[in-house]
Amino acid sequence: MTDELERTIEAFLFSAARPLSARDIQAWLPEEPLDRIQAALERLAREFESLGRSFHLREVAGGFQFRTRTAYAQALLKMLSTSPARLSRAALETLAIIAYKQPIIRHEIERLRGVDTGSILRTLLEKDLVRIVGRKNLPGRPLIYGTTRRFLEVFDLRDLAALPQLKDLQELTTHDEEKTSEAPAPVHEAPEETGPARAILPEPPGADGRDGDP
Amino acid sequence: MDYEIKLEVFEGPLDLLLHLIHKNEVDIFDIPIAAIADQYLAYIDRMEELNVSLAGDFLVMAATLLHIKSRMLLPELRGEEDEEDPRVELTRPLLEYLSFKEAARSLFDREILERDVFVRRDFQELQELSGGVEPELEVSLFQLIQAFKRVADQRIPERQLQMQMDVWSVKDKIAHILDRLRGQGPLFFAELLGGGISRLECVVTFLALLQMVRMGLVRTFQPAAESDIQILPCPENTPRDIADD
């Protein structure tokens, strides 16, 4: 009975503290075929979506999970008397690099960011957003980093393939190639370009886009 | 000295370079190396004037900029047409860096758990998650000092006649606070300093608290900017790495 199956799965999801996949659910309902469970999950997700309640059923980290809607974040933070989870800009950048380039070693992260990343990596490891997936067969056997399942849960991602496309890099680099091939020999333009820019020189820069004012 | 604060914002040489490029409104594919290099060096000078210790990364980038600048000033000897623009070695990492900044922003814009969306979980666990592991949610030293000042100003009249004085050591106070935490659970900052205790005891209590935070014996939380600070015992006495961030 489909309805009964749906309700049973709903009960599982309601009481679970982590996302449940069709496979998880099948372990408790071995007689049900996987595709029926999957179909029921998707029906449930649609149903909850259409109900317009404060929570809905989201597909994250390879499973389904009840999550509140963003509109209630402020109220919930108050109820839990806590501040929203935060990551520094540097931590987010590091996390993005790991997410898109994994498996990746620290040296490669630092090459991309241009700065030391040790303490940030430690923070990300502590928060269970990043894990060590192995060691690379290089001198010093450096650690290899990758993202965790928790990362998918925190950032509302079905799987790694659901990460937004890094299209900017592709766009910018193709642009780059066109530009550099078209560009005139740099030696000729160097003297010209120093002219206007030099006028801005004496003032050391402010950090926030405004000019520094001593 | 407002420079010092502004200077902090740059994460690294790429961040600084990007800022200079934006500020001068120049094309990232056509960087006026001479001008940017000069500004970069001016910035480094300024940092040194202010005694900000420079990370090696900044100096490596300075060297790279000067190297590129010198290569661009050299006359083209044999007219090698297919020689790559030396600035590419700057443009490429900058572009990569930009694209990851963009990626970081798109992560930030997602519906983030425990910021925008919430799931069912054990209340205790959630408090641990939102407070315990998050160094950024903890009370800073300055907040502690401010809170101390606030309480001290309120509770202790300026001229107080001291009839008798218990002499507390920081060590005793730590033991005392731990006892109270064990006995009655989480404490509030105002509670600890309440009950008409002397100024000296206030100071000792505060020092004890700082020491306990340092030793990882307690955690401190402040739900909102001006609210009272809560003191919780650490679950298992694992001293936190205080050097971390």
Side-chain angles (χ1 to χ4, degrees), chain B residues 18-46:
Chain B
L18 218 50
H19 167 76
L20 293 178
I21 286 168
H22 282 154
K23 187 184 160 220
N24 289 304
E25 295 177 1
V26 295
D27 187 349
I28 195 165
F29 299 104
D30 189 16
I31 302 169
I33 281 293
I36 295 288
D38 287 346
Q39 289 182 33
Y40 188 95
L41 291 178
Y43 173 84
I44 284 189
D45 282 347
R46 173 65 67 165

Side-chain angles (χ1 to χ4, degrees), chain B:
Chain B
M1 288 295 267
D2 59 345
Y3 264 122
E4 213 157 8
I5 297 152
K6 288 181 174 181
L7 292 174
E8 295 279 330
V9 177
F10 295 114
E11 271 288 330
L14 287 174
D15 223 20
L16 170 56
L17 216 51
L18 218 50
H19 167 76
L20 293 178
I21 286 168
H22 282 154
K23 187 184 160 220
N24 289 304
E25 295 177 1
V26 295
D27 187 349
I28 195 165
F29 299 104
D30 189 16
I31 302 169
I33 281 293
I36 295 288
D38 287 346
Q39 289 182 33
Y40 188 95
L41 291 178
Y43 173 84
I44 284 189
D45 282 347
R46 173 65 67 165
M47 291 231 276
E48 273 168 353
E49 264 172 47
L50 293 171
N51 269 332
V52 178
S53 63
L54 275 176
D57 317 304
F58 279 93
L59 299 176
V60 171
M61 178 58 82
T64 308
L65 284 171
L66 292 180
H67 181 63
I68 297 173
K69 183 178 164 186
S70 68
R71 268 161 70 193
M72 292 185 67
L73 289 172
L74 281 177
E76 233 176 332
L77 285 180
R78 276 159 291 178
E80 292 164 81
E81 274 167 30
D82 49 68
E83 199 194 325
E84 210 183 20
D85 186 335
R87 292 176 297 175
V88 167
E89 67 183 89
L90 216 55
T91 309
R92 221 171 270 289
L94 274 174
L95 284 174
E96 275 183 314
Y97 182 64
L98 261 181
S99 79
F100 283 112
K101 273 178 99 70
E102 188 56 43
R105 200 166 310 134
S106 74
L107 281 181
F108 182 81
D109 289 341
R110 299 191 65 81
E111 294 186 358
I112 293 177
L113 194 59
E114 259 124 59
R115 185 193 70 181
D116 310 308
V117 300
F118 295 82
V119 295
R120 167 182 298 265
R121 61 168 75 243
D122 188 43
F123 193 77
Q124 194 75 33
E125 190 192 349
L126 197 132
Q127 287 215 315
E128 288 268 314
L129 260 170
S130 55
V133 198
E134 280 271 358
E136 287 177 289
L137 296 185
E138 288 178 16
V139 183
S140 75
L141 185 60
F142 297 106
Q143 281 170 298
L144 269 177
I145 291 170
Q146 260 177 10
F148 174 75
K149 211 177 148 316
R150 218 170 30 238
V151 176
D153 286 349
Q154 274 172 11
R155 308 233 160 196
I156 308 154
E158 266 313 311
R159 283 176 213 162
Q160 191 182 32
L161 188 60
Q162 212 82 67
M163 297 304 287
Q164 60 172 56
M165 210 155 71
D166 285 330
V167 181
W168 284 89
S169 74
V170 172
K171 222 171 117 189
D172 291 344
K173 202 74 201 177
I174 289 178
H176 175 75
I177 296 174
L178 278 179
D179 272 352
R180 282 183 71 175
L181 281 172
R182 248 177 247 125
Q184 65 191 82
L187 287 168
F188 282 99
F189 195 64
E191 260 179 90
L192 263 185
L193 298 184
I197 61 174
S198 70
R199 188 174 278 267
L200 179 74
E201 193 179 340
C202 260
V203 173
V204 174
T205 306
F206 186 61
L207 288 178
L209 207 54
L210 287 180
Q211 182 65 15
M212 289 169 85
V213 172
R214 218 176 85 88
M215 289 161 65
L217 293 173
V218 292
R219 287 175 176 153
T220 46
F221 297 105
Q222 191 177 35
E226 288 300 308
S227 64
D228 200 2
I229 293 169
Q230 197 180 17
I231 299 143
L232 299 161
C234 278
E236 66 283 24
N237 284 349
T238 42
R240 275 182 38 238
D241 184 358
I242 54 157
D244 190 18
D245 279 15

